[in-house]
Each structure stands twice: as C-alpha cells, then as structure tokens.
C-alpha cells in the first residue's frame, strides 16, 4: 500500500504532507499514514456511548450511509467505519484506569488493517509517560513477515 506520507509538524500541532529529498511528495510504503488517518479522524459515537448532555456524536457523515456489503472480506452487517473514538477521551482525567479504554479505542480504529489483510496482527502499547502526556505505540505485523512500527506522544486531552 502506498500513501502520500504524513509527517507530524509541531508548529502546526498536527500532521501535514511534505516533500521528499527529490522535491516530490514523500510516500509511505508502510501503514503509518493509514494509521494516522484511522486514529485522528473522528469516528461517530456509538448509540450507547456516554456523551455529555447536548454533545454531538461527531463522525464522518458517510458512516450513516448503508455501506456496500463485502462478503469476501466478511463485511456485511459490520462494515468498516472511518476514524476512531479517541476524541471521547478528551474529558477523561489522566488516570491509569483510562489506559485500557484508550488501548481498546486504538485497536477498534485499526481493526480494518487485520480484517482487510494489510496486517496479520497488531501490538498496541499505551502509557502516560509524564503528567499531561499520552503515548501510544503500534507494531503492525504484515503478512509478508515485515513490520511497521510507530509511536506518538500527544498532549493529554487529545
């Protein structure tokens, strides 16, 4: 899978496309860019998610449209969804009890990689390395035996 590579720009406080050494758009041959898009786009909140009164369920509008069934991929009643629900952790306090929830949200946002055969498995780690910061790491094990690994440190409050 080849994507236009995204690189974190601290001045912007987010990811942006950038140019490679040859002056062309840099490319990502791994799964890192796909993971950024999968985790940092807002997935629509589930019907049973506990949201503050009056809060939007957010998410991509296309997730409200009936998706195409893809029985060859086992997708029909449980279609791919865009993004992750990391945004729901913004109001959580920085406590160890939040880490399993964050790990589950990351796994949910990246599950398509395994379901669609781009990775055979994912190893996900989460931590609060210091006050005010959240770190997560993902190692995607590809079917060809190679791996793609990436770690992101984010200010807590996502």
């Amino acid at each position: 899978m080849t994507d236009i590579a995204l690189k974190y720009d601290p001045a912007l406080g987010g990811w942006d496309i950038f140019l490679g050494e040859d002056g062309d758009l840099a490319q990502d041959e791994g799964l890192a860019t796909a993971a950024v898009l999968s985790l940092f786009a807002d997935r629509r909140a589930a019907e049973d998610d506990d949201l503050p009164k009056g809060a939007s369920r957010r998410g991509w509008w296309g997730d409200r449209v009936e998706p195409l069934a893809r029985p060859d991929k086992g997708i029909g009643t449980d279609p791919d969804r865009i993004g992750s629900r990391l945004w729901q952790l913004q109001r959580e306090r920085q406590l160890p009890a939040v880490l399993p929830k964050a790990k589950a949200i990351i796994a949910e946002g990246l599950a398509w990689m395994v379901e669609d055969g781009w990775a055979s498995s994912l190893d996900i780690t989460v931590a609060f390395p210091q006050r005010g910061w959240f770190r997560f790491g993902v190692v995607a094990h590809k079917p060809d035996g190679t791996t793609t690994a990436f770690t992101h440190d984010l200010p807590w409050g996502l």
Side-chain angles (χ1 to χ4, degrees), residues 52-133:
K53 186 175 182 170
S56 165
R57 291 182 55 227
R58 293 166 92 158
W60 182 55
W61 66 268
D63 283 345
R64 297 188 71 181
V65 176
E66 186 63 32
L68 296 173
R70 293 183 5 214
D72 59 317
K73 297 288 186 186
I75 298 168
T77 58
D78 187 22
D80 289 338
R81 297 290 180 211
I82 302 299
S84 79
R85 296 181 300 139
L86 279 175
W87 62 271
Q88 291 180 338
L89 299 179
Q90 289 176 333
R91 68 181 198 274
E92 296 280 352
R93 295 184 60 190
Q94 191 176 9
L95 299 171
V98 175
L99 291 174
K101 187 176 183 178
K103 185 175 182 176
I105 288 172
I106 291 168
E108 176 187 62
L110 299 177
W112 69 268
M113 290 181 177
V114 174
E115 291 166 0
D116 290 357
W118 293 103
S120 52
S121 66
L122 301 171
D123 296 328
I124 300 167
T125 57
V126 293
F128 291 127
Q130 63 186 18
R131 186 179 175 150
W133 287 91

Side-chain angles (χ1 to χ4, degrees), residues 130-148:
Q130 63 186 18
R131 186 179 175 150
W133 287 91
F134 171 64
R135 172 179 296 148
F136 71 89
V138 177
V139 178
H141 300 272
K142 297 183 193 176
D144 67 3
T146 62
T147 60
T148 296

Side-chain angles (χ1 to χ4, degrees), residues 1-9 14-21 24-37:
M1 172 191 310
T2 301
D3 289 318
I4 294 174
L6 296 178
K7 182 177 180 181
Y8 187 78
D9 183 342
W15 285 267
D16 198 2
I17 58 175
F18 68 104
L19 300 178
E21 293 178 17
D24 287 337
L25 291 175
Q27 295 183 355
D28 172 23
E29 298 295 333
L31 295 171
T33 294
V36 166
L37 295 172

